[in-house]
Amino acid sequence: MEGIGGRKILVSGGGSGIGRATAIRFARLGADVAVLDINAKGAAETLDAVAVAGRRGLFVPTDVTDFAQVKDSVAKVLAEFGQIDVLASLVGWNEHSFFMQQEPEFWHKVVAINLWGQIHVVRAVLDPMIERRRGAIVTVASDAGRVGTNGETIYAAAKGGVIAFTKSLAREVTRFGIRVNCVCPGVTDTPMFQSVAEHQPEILQAVVKLIPMKRIARPDEPAETIVFLASDSASYITGQTLSVNGGLNML
Ligand SMILES: NC(=O)c1ccc[n+]([C@@H]2O[C@H](COP(=O)([O-])OP(=O)(O)OC[C@H]3O[C@@H](n4cnc5c(N)ncnc54)[C@H](O)[C@@H]3O)[C@@H](O)[C@H]2O)c1
């Protein structure tokens, strides 16, 4: 994994799950890590692990659905770190339910967090990256946005939006030395997954049967792919969508 040591990393959604695993992996490779999240307790645990790795951590409480807040938070990170080399944009949220039974408030919340949340954070880091003519951005979507998932209709729509946004943005900003890629985790053992597992244990058992590897992912597995795509080891990769799913969908 080339070119991570000494870098300044911003992880949105770093207070839990795959975001926390990503923040810790960056720190263990020698990077300083800033976390944007609404979960202060979770972010504190992440920063403890960053400190154990001997790196500097910074938590800026931020609701990524609010663009003004995101811009202020990114300015705080720049004031502390001086630069942002990498954005890993992980914030996401969903509750398993069927489209025909949902209220519009639920649709708007899912799109606000999963699509607008990514657009806001990406836009806020672009000016300083363009100024330096370098940067790597990794968005996080889901296979739901590639193949569709029963009970995740609006989430899939938002994640499909993240994938299309990533590809189009990569075309637009490559000339500024910025790479943009997307990781689609498969079913991964995080609090988000556990909330689905509690309500729909039978669906998850059925999914595990369909996964060629016959297990769900550990959070560090998609995290490793996010860190790889952000690193100089992926210097000729941009505009790509990579699923980390144990073979569940072969795309
Ligand atoms: N776990 C899975 O099975 C799975 C599968 C496919 C895709 N994903 C995607 O991976 C990413 C990480 O998921 P995870 O499983 O680690 O989830 P998680 O729930 O463990 O972590 C998500 C983090 O986002 C934060 N967050 C939620 N809303 C926010 C907001 N408005 N502003 C700021 N922070 C907010 C939460 O506080 C939490 O710390 C998400 O984008 C998710 O959609 C997860």
Side-chain angles (χ1 to χ4, degrees), residues 72 110 112 122 179 193:
D72 283 352
V110 171
V122 169
R179 296 183 301 101
F193 152 79

Short mmCIF file of all heavy atoms in Angstrom, two decimals, residues 72 110 112 122 179 193:
data_model
loop_
_atom_site.label_atom_id
_atom_site.label_comp_id
_atom_site.label_asym_id
_atom_site.label_seq_id
_atom_site.Cartn_x
_atom_site.Cartn_y
_atom_site.Cartn_z
N ASP A 72 -18.28 23.94 6.96
CA ASP A 72 -17.60 24.41 8.19
C ASP A 72 -16.67 23.33 8.73
O ASP A 72 -15.55 23.61 9.15
CB ASP A 72 -18.63 24.72 9.28
CG ASP A 72 -19.33 26.05 9.04
OD1 ASP A 72 -18.90 26.77 8.11
OD2 ASP A 72 -20.30 26.35 9.75
N VAL A 110 -33.59 8.69 3.54
CA VAL A 110 -32.63 7.74 2.95
C VAL A 110 -31.80 8.44 1.87
O VAL A 110 -30.57 8.28 1.80
CB VAL A 110 -33.36 6.50 2.39
CG1 VAL A 110 -32.42 5.63 1.58
CG2 VAL A 110 -33.97 5.70 3.53
N ALA A 112 -31.33 11.71 1.56
CA ALA A 112 -30.54 12.79 2.17
C ALA A 112 -29.23 12.25 2.73
O ALA A 112 -28.17 12.84 2.55
CB ALA A 112 -31.35 13.48 3.27
N VAL A 122 -18.06 15.35 -0.65
CA VAL A 122 -17.16 15.37 -1.82
C VAL A 122 -16.98 16.80 -2.32
O VAL A 122 -15.85 17.25 -2.56
CB VAL A 122 -17.72 14.47 -2.94
CG1 VAL A 122 -16.96 14.69 -4.24
CG2 VAL A 122 -17.65 13.00 -2.53
N ARG A 179 -8.27 11.33 -8.31
CA ARG A 179 -8.91 10.05 -8.67
C ARG A 179 -10.15 9.86 -7.81
O ARG A 179 -10.16 10.23 -6.64
CB ARG A 179 -7.95 8.88 -8.45
CG ARG A 179 -6.72 8.91 -9.33
CD ARG A 179 -5.82 7.69 -9.14
NE ARG A 179 -5.35 7.55 -7.77
CZ ARG A 179 -5.85 6.71 -6.87
NH1 ARG A 179 -6.83 5.88 -7.20
NH2 ARG A 179 -5.37 6.67 -5.64
N PHE A 193 -25.71 -3.60 9.68
CA PHE A 193 -26.12 -4.96 9.35
C PHE A 193 -26.88 -5.59 10.52
O PHE A 193 -27.89 -6.25 10.34
CB PHE A 193 -24.87 -5.80 9.00
CG PHE A 193 -25.02 -7.26 9.29
CD1 PHE A 193 -25.71 -8.07 8.42
CD2 PHE A 193 -24.49 -7.81 10.44
CE1 PHE A 193 -25.87 -9.42 8.68
CE2 PHE A 193 -24.64 -9.15 10.72
CZ PHE A 193 -25.33 -9.96 9.84
#
